[in-house]
Amino acid sequence: MKHQQHSYFLPVQQYQLHIRRLLPLHQPHGVVLMLHGAIENSRIFYSASGKGLGCYLADQGFAVYCADFAGRGRSLPHSSSGFDHSQQQLICQDIPALIRHLQRAHQQKIHLIAHSWGGVLAAASLCRHPELLSLVSSKVCFGSKRRIRVQSLEKRFKVDLIWNRLGPWLAAKHGYFPAKRLRLGADDEPRQFLQDCIAWIEQDGFVDCSDGFDYAAAAKQIEWPHLWHFVAEKDRVLGHPQDVQAFIAEACQQQAKYTHLGKASGALTDYDHISMLTHPLAVQDHFPQLANWLRSLTVG
């Protein structure tokens, strides 16, 4: 392992966001902020043993910051304590605070890397706060979609039954969605965030659940940073290529690089929604490609 890890907390409003900082052993040549998706936390990107995309990029010389969203991971307080948090708070408060915090610390543009729903929230934050665009060099998404329109038995079970029906019932009963305890996800979700997320997955318009802000319209007015979207061959529901492509079009990101991670497209294996970030072969496959691309943008 060619990097050092430690944790610290960023105060935002009346809560604290946990950040895992992964620093190379020499002067970093780029800064990366990693944002996780729903019912998970930042551990999707790193491990104490040095596995994961965050660790790989730190070993390649990047300063990497893996953030836990409010109420998740090691952020304080946790949603299981009764702490509630909305999607709009993430978009308008937390993500801007993280971006500005890293820009102040390093005095350079940052690279945003997001998994699944984190990519939607990051896009929404940049649409709502276009002043942040001058602080961002690139945005990379793994399996990020805004709506789930693909139909299958797996979708009916995971999305229609568990997420859309069981999730709100459990959240009303417990005050939060206890996904981790029930082994339905890697982490729990605040009640309001769950409701907001369900609304976006189901509704046609890319508009804010709280005040009706039109993110799709705002996306047409901004100049996006460098973009790269990854999809996985075996990602048949949570980041299906058709739904990812629909999100790219909706967010006016047609200029984005687009990579399909499957054997038929030249990858070493057929990845899925999680394994595209955790599979051992990724360090020989798309991780080096991404590191080289980020390095070229930092140098350029």
Side-chain angles (χ1 to χ4, degrees), residues 178-186 188:
K180 184 177 181 180
R181 187 174 68 189
L182 298 175
R183 299 184 179 180
L184 298 174
D188 305 321

Side-chain angles (χ1 to χ4, degrees), residues 161-184 189 191 194:
L161 178 60
I162 300 298
W163 188 250
N164 291 355
R165 299 187 64 181
L166 181 61
W169 181 81
L170 289 170
K173 180 180 179 181
H174 298 282
Y176 71 105
F177 180 27
K180 184 177 181 180
R181 187 174 68 189
L182 298 175
R183 299 184 179 180
L184 298 174
E189 287 293 354
R191 181 178 180 178
L194 173 68

Side-chain angles (χ1 to χ4, degrees), residues 87-122:
Q87 189 168 258
Q88 189 192 66
Q89 286 174 291
L90 265 169
I91 293 167
C92 295
Q93 296 173 182
D94 299 1
I95 293 176
L98 288 164
I99 292 174
R100 293 183 178 118
H101 166 67
L102 296 188
Q103 200 281 329
R104 287 193 299 268
H106 291 273
Q107 295 296 307
Q108 62 178 280
K109 291 186 176 183
I110 68 168
H111 303 287
L112 285 175
I113 297 181
H115 180 229
S116 196
W117 201 248
V120 179
L121 298 174

